[in-house]
Each structure stands twice: as structure tokens, then as C-alpha cells.
Amino acid sequence: MQRIPSTPPPPGAWQRAARGAGLLAPDGTSAPTIFAEMSALAAQTGAINLGQGFPDEDGPDEVLAAARAAISTGRNQYPPGRGEPDLRHAVSEHQRRFYGLAVDPDREVLITAGATEALAATLLGLIDGPGDEVVVFEPTYDAYAALIALAGATLVPVPLRSPRFQPDLEELRRAVSDRTRIILVNDPHNPTGMTFDAEVRDEIVRLAARHDAIIVTDEVYEHLVFRSRHVPLASLEGARERTLSISSAGKTFSVTGWKVGWITGPARLIDAVVAVKQWLTYVNGAPFQPAVAVGLRLPDEFFFGAAATLRDKHALLATGLQAAGFSVIAPHAGYFTIADARDLGEAHGRTDADDLCRWLPETVGVVAIPVTAFVTTEHREDYSWLVRFAACKRLEVIADASQRLATMVRA
Ligand code: PMP
Ligand code: GLN
């Protein structure tokens, strides 16, 4: 019988980097992600899960039917390395239809296992080594810190302060230097729900050009913008040649478990990413790829309808949160609403949002995520009372969660 060694293996480069970035405990053990941890707490307590961002309803019938049809007609083997040609064409058509961007489906599109693999392959493929810096906006989607550590680069955070969550341009200028290899921009932004102001977008492009940095955008919430239209950085003058744009089917079509994403950008940068991607998953999601192509070709009304539906859900959630005593910061886009819980939390003897979020499931029956989970250790203080609630749930679920939260109001 094979024996399992009792001592852990010696730490590798990732372990060392991840420990340095505070992603692993000093003994090298790994904690579950905040999303996995909070979803487990929801399952254990029966609380309503407004933590991890996934919808509780299926997306468009045509898209689901296309996946079923693809499975029954034998689209079940490895697709080509860069993705099914028809999906690459659909991505290219989508970039032109919504943003006027011309993208060559054969050389400038890569299909990936979700936006996560797109980010991983991009960072691993484009980072040269330990001297390289990646500028990110903080709070930062949790995968970024882990992937930057995995790629052996240094994360340089630019703060987004409550309640506007726009970066200070002077701080942004100070963060970008000749050491900056990548400016990683998540717009619309998770967790804050903010979209970047035009002057910020312009400054990012100017700084990238001045310091010869690559811009990588994470636009997974591109179609969930409430009162304006999404502006991809790649569409700004001077940006296209140095920008890789990442998106994914998960949010737009409510299929987060399918893990089909894509990257568009100049062929020389895409080639560098393909070189890594082929050793990560090689390919993924054969029958889902034709289904996502159907989704990307749906009429405009589908995309506008998805944003309008989510906006209504946020409005209901905001009413419930306010009635319970939270201060709500209305989002511009995406799945999440941020609420300041200081007064309410202190009234209930909680020490911060993290403490509150560990107390809420058992006591009130609702799960949410503390924003400190998206922040480097040095900056936790600034976000200590902010809580992220997912609004991508059925209206009756949000109403039920609101009633539970209302029990926190002190008589
Ligand atoms: N980026 C952001 C900002 C996200 O919120 C998420 C989570 N959905 C991802 C990337 C990961 O996307 P995917 O599930 O397509 O890998
Ligand atoms: N993007 C999702 C969120 O922000 C989580 C995805 C995951 O669990 N990795 O909630």
C-alpha cells in the first residue's frame, strides 16, 4: 500500500511568493477562498447566500438548448487550441457590434477556461521575472493577488476609496513606473460595482504608453452596466496595440459554471498567452463553446434586458439594506452592492465587517463578504466596515434576505 508522507513537500516558488503575499499561512497551509468559505457557511447554516457571485436562475433558453444540442450531436472532443473557430468569429463580431473594435478571429482571439484562466495565462505569459510590477486597483478581485504571486511579479495597489471608488490620479501616476509590466484594470469593478471615469481611463492609457506597459482589462461585467454603456479601454486612441481585453460568458449569460472566457488583442500578445494556456488546460468546454457563440449573437435587447433586470434587483436589495440600517453605496454595474455596516455592526457589538459577516449567517440567516477579503493587509483599516452583497438572485430571495436583515433593527 502506498504511504502518504507525513511531512509536507518543500516549498516551491509559488509557495514562497504566496506566503510573502499573505495568501498562505506561515506553515504553508492554504485557506479556502473567501467565496468557498462563505458558501460553505451558507450551506451549513441554511443562510441565504448573498456572498459568492452566482445567479440562482438560468440564462437564455437558446444558449442552454445550444449546449444540449452540441452534446447530443457529438461536439464532445477537444476543440482547437485557440478555441472553436465559430466562437472566435462570434467574439470578433461582438467586439465590432458593441465597441467598433476590429479583431481578427484567427490571430487576435483566444478562448479560455473562464476569465480566470485568461488572467492566469496572461500574467504567466507576459511577466518577465521578479523585477516586474503589476499595478492593480484595490480592493482587488481575489484571484489577482494569487496569480501575480504565481507569476513571480510584485503587486502594486492603487486605492479606490469609499464612497466613489475612483482612483486618485496622482496616486495612479506614482504607482506606474518603468518597472510596471502590466496595468491590470477591472472595469466594471468587483467588488465595488464602480465603472472608471473617462479621465481615469485616459490616464491609464497615457501612463501605459509613457512607461511601455501592457494594459490587461477584466471586463466580465461588461454587459451589466446600469445607466451608461461600457467603454473598453482597447477602444481608446493609442490603447489597442498594448491592450489585452478579457471577458467571459459566466456573468452575461448566467452560466458561471461553464467557464468559457476569451481574450482579444494584438496577435503578438495573444501568441505569448497561447504559449502558456496550452500547458494549463490546453482546451476546455467543447460543447459550451458553440452555445456561447449563440449567446454572443443574441439581439441587443437581450443584453440591455440583462442589465435592466439586475438594476431592479440592486434597487430592491438597497431598500432592504437601508431598512436594516446599512448605508448603501449604489453600484454602477455588476453583481454586487457595497454597504457600510459600521453603525449597525457596532450596535450589535461586532468589531468589523469580517466579524459581522461571520456572525450574520448563524444569527440573521444571510451570508455576505467582507470587503477586507479583497484588500492587502496594510490597507485593511480603510475598508474595515464595508460589506459586499450579491444582488444576482431572484427578487423573492432578495426580499426574504431583506426581511431577515430587518430583524437587526434595534427597537
Ligand atoms: N474577474 C472578475 C472581476 C470576477 O468577478 C470573476 C468572477 N466571476 C472572474 C474574473 C472569474 O470569471 P470566470 O468565472 O469566467 O473565470
Ligand atoms: N467572481 C465570484 C465573486 O466575486 C466568485 C468566483 C469564485 O468563487 N472564484 O463572487
Side-chain angles (χ1 to χ4, degrees):
M1 205 169 77
Q2 204 191 344
R3 289 185 57 126
I4 298 168
S6 56
T7 46
W14 144 250
Q15 285 222 0
R16 280 194 300 278
R19 240 177 290 174
L23 299 166
L24 289 175
D27 67 357
T29 51
S30 139
T33 74
I34 187 73
F35 308 122
E37 187 187 349
M38 288 304 191
S39 285
L41 204 51
Q44 195 185 313
T45 57
I48 297 177
N49 191 352
L50 302 186
Q52 194 175 31
F54 60 89
D56 57 358
E57 279 178 299
D58 277 331
D61 286 342
E62 303 90 311
V63 174
L64 303 179
R68 278 187 222 103
I71 290 174
S72 9
T73 54
R75 309 277 298 269
N76 300 308
Q77 311 311 327
Y78 300 127
R82 289 185 182 230
E84 281 293 348
D86 188 50
L87 176 55
R88 285 190 271 115
H89 276 88
V91 168
S92 168
E93 290 161 25
H94 169 276
Q95 295 304 94
R96 181 181 287 283
R97 165 158 65 131
F98 287 100
Y99 310 124
L101 284 165
V103 174
D104 178 344
D106 295 324
R107 299 174 56 239
E108 297 185 320
V109 181
L110 173 65
I111 307 303
T112 57
T116 307
E117 193 205 25
L119 288 159
T122 299
L123 289 163
L124 290 168
L126 297 177
I127 294 297
D128 272 341
D132 277 0
E133 295 182 352
V134 180
V135 171
V136 299
F137 296 90
E138 185 176 58
T140 310
Y141 178 59
D142 73 333
Y144 296 3
L147 294 173
I148 291 167
L150 190 58
T154 303
L155 177 149
V156 178
V158 177
L160 305 174
R161 294 195 179 81
S162 174
R164 281 201 72 242
F165 297 120
Q166 294 295 324
D168 174 75
L169 293 184
E170 204 36 60
E171 282 179 324
L172 175 58
R173 284 181 208 119
R174 277 205 299 276
V176 182
S177 72
D178 289 346
R179 288 186 303 280
T180 307
R181 177 70 171 151
I182 293 175
I183 306 177
L184 176 48
V185 185
N186 176 209
D187 181 16
H189 185 257
N190 178 8
T192 65
M194 170 277 291
T195 55
F196 283 102
D197 286 349
E199 57 171 12
V200 177
R201 289 196 299 260
D202 290 345
E203 188 62 25
I204 291 170
V205 176
R206 263 198 299 274
L207 288 168
R210 184 177 314 150
H211 297 284
D212 196 21
I214 297 164
I215 300 170
V216 176
T217 65
D218 173 347
E219 306 178 41
V220 300
Y221 300 101
E222 62 184 317
H223 286 295
L224 303 176
V225 180
F226 306 136
R227 279 180 191 82
S228 54
R229 296 287 293 276
H230 175 60
V231 180
L233 274 173
S235 67
L236 302 191
E237 206 184 313
R240 193 187 182 290
E241 277 317 297
R242 58 176 68 253
T243 302
L244 283 175
S245 311
I246 294 175
S247 193
S248 147
K251 308 298 175 328
T252 302
F253 305 114
S254 299
V255 289
T256 60
W258 284 12
K259 300 297 286 191
V260 175
W262 52 87
I263 315 178
T264 56
R268 71 190 157 82
L269 294 180
I270 292 285
D271 289 349
V273 180
V274 173
V276 175
K277 187 252 164 7
Q278 66 188 346
W279 302 119
L280 290 176
T281 53
Y282 175 45
V283 292
N284 67 287
F288 300 122
Q289 293 198 17
V292 172
V294 169
L296 288 172
R297 291 181 174 126
L298 286 173
D300 290 356
E301 297 75 66
F302 162 74
F303 295 90
F304 302 147
T309 305
L310 189 59
R311 189 184 57 210
D312 293 346
K313 292 179 175 186
H314 276 289
L316 185 66
L317 177 62
T319 308
L321 289 171
Q322 272 151 0
F326 290 91
S327 293
V328 171
I329 302 166
H332 300 152
Y335 275 178
F336 309 108
T337 286
I338 299 278
D340 190 316
R342 182 184 292 275
D343 294 347
L344 188 61
E346 285 179 350
H348 285 272
R350 302 295 105 202
T351 52
D352 58 18
D354 190 76
D355 182 35
L356 179 74
C357 288
R358 283 166 209 288
W359 173 87
L360 275 178
E362 185 72 49
T363 328
V364 178
V366 174
V367 165
I369 307 273
V371 171
T372 44
F374 303 86
V375 172
T376 47
T377 327
E378 309 86 77
H379 300 141
R380 285 174 70 98
E381 266 311 293
D382 301 343
Y383 303 90
S384 59
W385 278 107
L386 298 185
V387 180
R388 190 194 84 168
F389 290 88
C392 50
K393 306 291 172 182
R394 281 168 292 140
L395 289 170
E396 57 269 33
V397 172
I398 296 173
D400 187 359
S402 301
Q403 272 179 6
R404 295 178 186 206
L405 291 166
T407 61
M408 293 173 75
V409 180
R410 283 270 162 96

